Amino acid sequence: MTAIPALADLQARYAALQGRGLKLDMTRGKPSPEQLDLSEGLVTLPGNRDHRTETGEDARNYGGVQGLAEVRALFAAVLGAPPERIVVGNNSSLALMHDCIAYALLKGVPGSARPWSKEEEIRFLCPVPGYDRHFALCETYGIGMVPVPMTAEGPDMDVVEREARDPRVRGMWAVPQYSNPGGETYSDATVSRLARMETGAPDFRLFWDNAYALHHLTERRPVLRNILEACAEAGNPDRAIVFASTSKVTLAGAGLAMLASSEANVRWYLANAGKRSIGPDKLNQLRHIRFLRDQTGIDALMDGHRRLLAPKFRAVTETLARHLGGTGVARWSEPEGGYFVLLEVPEGCATRVVTLAAACGLALTPAGATHPYGRDPQDRLLRLAPSYPKLAEVEAAAEVVATCVLLAAEESREA
Ligand code: PLP
């Protein structure tokens, strides 16, 4: 064990950090300006009166609610579905998830006896720690949240299988690859069990948010079992809806979002989406095709992101290891992809760490954001987002975090 410095020493170290007048932000998983610059070429495309799609449509005009065929073909491998079962919308996959929930509440999904909102009570299974915006969506629409602990292989499937038998449980969130915030990738066994488990609700839907499908931080490229195929094989073809986007491939505010599912679900989605809009921004879709071109183009771009991101993640984990390694005070993830490092501090200390960091000029995601209703009952988990600040700032921020963790731990031990 490495000895923890005395409280007075930690307070002196903390005061010195405060004296540096830092102004750092590790709250959200936003791409940095340098990452956005990788796609600067996108902004001026298609240009030169290039506005015809592969099938000869004029991309400037109305229509084409399912999205361009060439974009659907380009992302078929990522989504794990043929182009005809893919929809490409505007930016923000979160918006697609929102719309699916809104349509389900208002009208039901294929297989529903009635709209979800007409049920006495509905609930979603929520792997925890999880993504705060998934939880916020449930909260805003009065969908109850059933927490499910995460394991290294994905959600604890014994708990999922037990809870899914409850007919009030209508859906589940899943970030199957490099999950937000723990970085776990679901094992094949987890995917298979999710596909074939019994559900109490006949119209149960798995919201398969594959936001980090392409976002590797190492040379390793895990291949996730195809959830749509697994569901079809298990006789539950309508169970999963897969979501992805280019928010962290091209431009976070001007990318493309997409979903893929069964024929029935895609028909259902398009019938509803077709009432909401006459069609998506097809010029942006064309722009993406001209810019990305093919899988090789996507891979090269993602390598560019990795070169910018990997050193920042290393800076966080190495700094934490230097200050906290062997103290037994904290544990942290060493993710192989995605956008976050998950830090676990002694029980009751996470909120205090955020407060101490803020007074040092470092903004962190509020403690509790990793849990439904923003409440971490043990006040232990913190999500660190190293993508946006510059490398030197990330190093400084990680040092602040480490010092605040030690200080909060010592304060609570002495209290
Ligand atoms: N899903 C997860 C798990 C995320 O972490 C994020 C962004 O941080 C999103 C979805 C948002 O995706 P989009 O920009 O496509 O709405």
Side-chain angles (χ1 to χ4, degrees):
M1 278 299 253
T2 308
I4 300 170
L7 185 57
D9 289 344
L10 289 169
Q11 284 164 336
R13 204 192 278 179
Y14 179 74
L17 285 173
Q18 271 189 315
R20 283 166 63 181
L22 300 168
K23 196 171 179 314
L24 306 169
D25 190 336
M26 289 233 280
T27 54
R28 297 231 64 102
K30 283 204 306 194
S32 64
E34 294 75 23
Q35 285 179 267
L36 299 176
D37 283 346
L38 297 175
S39 294
E40 186 57 24
L42 189 71
V43 177
T44 52
L45 290 169
N48 293 329
R49 296 198 59 78
D50 171 13
H51 42 67
R52 291 278 163 200
T53 71
E54 217 168 69
T55 52
E57 268 173 290
D58 187 335
R60 299 170 302 179
N61 221 327
Y62 273 143
V65 78
Q66 192 167 356
L68 299 191
E70 52 267 52
V71 182
R72 289 187 275 119
L74 177 59
F75 287 98
V78 171
L79 291 157
E84 59 276 14
R85 292 203 275 115
I86 292 174
V87 178
V88 182
N90 291 324
N91 75 311
S92 181
S93 58
L94 192 65
L96 299 183
M97 296 174 226
H98 169 277
D99 287 356
C100 284
I101 288 185
Y103 301 147
L105 286 168
L106 292 169
K107 310 188 68 159
V109 296
S112 296
R114 58 191 79 81
W116 285 5
S117 59
K118 294 278 192 275
E119 301 290 342
E120 210 156 286
E121 189 184 346
I122 61 168
R123 297 181 172 182
F124 264 46
L125 303 182
C126 298
V128 171
Y131 178 37
D132 54 351
R133 292 185 192 271
H134 288 163
F135 302 153
L137 256 180
C138 282
E139 198 173 347
T140 198
Y141 289 123
I143 298 172
M145 289 180 262
V146 182
V148 176
M150 278 295 278
T151 74
E153 294 195 28
D156 183 329
M157 283 308 300
D158 293 337
V159 177
V160 171
E161 283 165 348
R162 191 180 66 230
E163 297 291 343
R165 284 193 210 111
D166 179 344
R168 291 172 300 187
V169 170
R170 277 271 163 344
M172 175 173 173
W173 292 112
V175 183
Q177 188 161 304
Y178 307 134
S179 100
N180 175 353
E184 305 88 347
T185 294
Y186 290 17
S187 67
D188 287 357
T190 300
V191 176
S192 301
R193 285 172 77 176
L194 286 167
R196 65 169 189 258
M197 71 187 178
E198 244 178 76
T199 62
D203 53 351
F204 176 95
R205 287 295 181 277
L206 190 52
F207 282 68
W208 199 254
D209 179 1
N210 208 357
Y212 299 107
L214 296 163
H215 306 64
H216 314 288
L217 287 168
T218 74
E219 301 281 343
R220 261 173 37 81
R221 305 265 184 277
V223 179
L224 203 61
R225 169 138 208 241
N226 184 319
I227 186 67
L228 295 171
E229 282 174 8
C231 286
E233 279 165 26
N236 299 310
D238 298 332
R239 175 167 294 179
I241 309 177
V242 176
F243 300 89
S245 77
T246 69
S247 292
K248 291 173 184 120
V249 176
T250 56
L251 302 176
L256 302 178
M258 42 211 116
L259 66 76
S261 194
S262 65
E263 220 179 288
N265 283 342
V266 167
R267 218 178 310 115
W268 165 83
Y269 177 82
L270 290 174
N272 288 299
K275 309 287 185 304
R276 181 181 174 277
S277 161
I278 308 171
D281 177 350
K282 294 182 300 302
L283 267 187
N284 197 30
Q285 299 194 7
L286 198 59
R287 181 177 295 138
H288 273 75
I289 280 291
R290 299 288 185 263
F291 181 69
L292 295 170
R293 293 172 188 275
D294 51 23
Q295 191 60 45
T296 310
I298 296 178
D299 291 345
L301 184 53
M302 294 317 295
D303 282 344
H305 285 291
R306 179 164 55 85
R307 279 193 285 274
L308 291 166
L309 284 172
K312 294 184 182 179
F313 278 78
R314 250 194 325 271
V316 172
T317 53
E318 285 176 5
T319 306
L320 294 179
R322 202 162 54 246
H323 292 279
L324 301 173
T327 62
V329 160
R331 290 195 303 189
W332 54 92
S333 61
E334 302 211 352
E336 296 197 343
Y339 263 62
F340 304 101
V341 173
L342 184 65
L343 176 63
E344 188 181 326
V345 300
E347 187 163 345
C349 286
T351 305
R352 179 67 181 147
V353 171
V354 175
T355 307
L356 285 169
C360 244
L362 170 62
L364 293 176
T365 313
T370 51
H371 285 60
Y373 310 104
R375 281 195 300 270
D376 172 358
Q378 294 188 308
D379 192 24
R380 285 185 80 110
L381 294 183
L382 291 168
R383 188 185 82 167
L384 307 178
S387 58
Y388 191 82
K390 297 200 177 308
L391 181 58
E393 292 176 337
V394 172
E395 279 162 4
E399 195 182 333
V400 171
V401 170
T403 304
C404 294
V405 169
L406 288 170
L407 186 52
E410 270 308 279
E411 283 175 355
S412 87
R413 216 175 52 85
E414 295 213 351

